[in-house]
Amino acid sequence: MPTAVAGPEIERLIQLLARLPGLGPRSARRAALFLIKKREQVMTPLTNALQTALEKIVVCKTCGNIDTQDPCTVCTDTRRDQSILVVVADVADLWALERAHAVNGRYHVLGGTLSPLDGVGPQDLSIDALVARAHEPQVNEVILALNATVDGQTTAHYITELLGDANVKVTRLAHGVPVGGELDYLDEGTLSAAMKQRTLF
Amino acid sequence: MQWTDEGIVIGVRRHGEASAILELMTREHGRHVGMVRGGFGTRMKPVLQTGNSVSATWRARLEDHMGNYTVEPLRQRASDYFGAPHAIYGVSHLAALMRLLPERDPHEGLFNEFEAILDGLEDAAWAAPQVARFEMQLLSELGFGLDLEECAATGATEELIYVSPKSGRAVSREAGAPYADRMFKLPPFLTDPSRAPSGRDLDDGFKLTGFFLARHVLEPRGMQLADERMHFLAALARALPNVA
């Protein structure tokens, strides 16, 4: 029968770390040990950072982004193109687009995609707020930057229908060959989508 | 326990960080669930999209275990549907219908029909009557088949233009005339695949199958007709504004 090698406080720390994405019980144990060994250099600043984050992070009521202010930094940035609204499923997607400097518009985070299997319906997503924002006079284009999955594209079509009476251009991301991708290694679905959406060269 | 079969993805749920619980409609083993290690990883995610065909090997220590799948792509259709609203709603609707079947109960005829419709789902005019007939076939496979061969009242086999909402049996023009407002219309394309449906016929056909699906299959399970079906029909109406 296994016996505990550490006190309950340490076991609790390991249990909590093991809940983080990418960490299992073994790696959580290593991380806990690392934190304990580096109490002053890592553990204290990490604790403080976590406490600050817990106290200050809020969800932006305008776009659904997370930040330490509401409205968030993106929404209050006057240098951004106010005529473009980029719709993403999650905050992680917003961060990905920002990392890529792909677009200089404002965002709207839906909070997921429609998924009948998981019981996620329109009422579970921030769709009403999106429709209201799309009707703002300064918005000319809504870019649906949603996943190239059945759920993502179902959501895109659903939103497109709802925006039918808004005076905006609705666009979506292209699907096709990624930069650096070799045709030989691409899956059949991506190749088929790329061929269908080929453009004049 | 181990078998290999051809299957069509009808549902995928995340399990842990990168694995997936995969629900397949297989040709010989019916609707079957199993775990795919790495199923939510970047390599497998494009393969495990609703509507794609895969070759699946299922392994488990005992037959009643959920077991593990190893899958290889056979035909990746999902991306073909992205551009057409009726197709993307249609694949979700068809998958939801397949999930109504009991687990591990083979329905090879339905599987073949499902596969054929998925192959042509982009063509709205072709797919619309196929999906209506598929709903009727599903009712039949679940034990609630409509009897459309002869009139429930007179036994006549000609001019069957109504279906009784009570019995699910066909009724002839003459016998059904006094109750016409309470009967469902029986569009000819449902019984004769060679007849091209008009827009009104499609509407009548889906009303008929929708009613019996809801009454016999969904309501006893505390369910109702899914939103995907409603969106699919609305998208069809937009895609086929001038159906003959």
Side-chain angles (χ1 to χ4, degrees), chain A residues 27-49:
Chain A
S27 43
R29 201 167 283 277
R30 286 179 61 207
L33 205 56
F34 175 80
L35 288 171
I36 292 162
K37 280 182 183 168
K38 306 267 183 186
R39 282 173 75 145
E40 296 307 318
Q41 303 97 310
V42 181
M43 199 175 194
T44 307
L46 179 65
T47 309
N48 293 338

Side-chain angles (χ1 to χ4, degrees), chain A residues 39-74:
Chain A
R39 282 173 75 145
E40 296 307 318
Q41 303 97 310
V42 181
M43 199 175 194
T44 307
L46 179 65
T47 309
N48 293 338
L50 286 171
Q51 188 61 38
T52 310
L54 180 67
E55 288 164 4
K56 291 198 172 174
I57 287 177
V58 287
V59 175
C60 175
K61 288 193 180 72
T62 308
C63 71
N65 187 16
I66 52 172
D67 203 341
T68 52
Q69 61 181 65
D70 180 19
C72 69
T73 318
V74 174

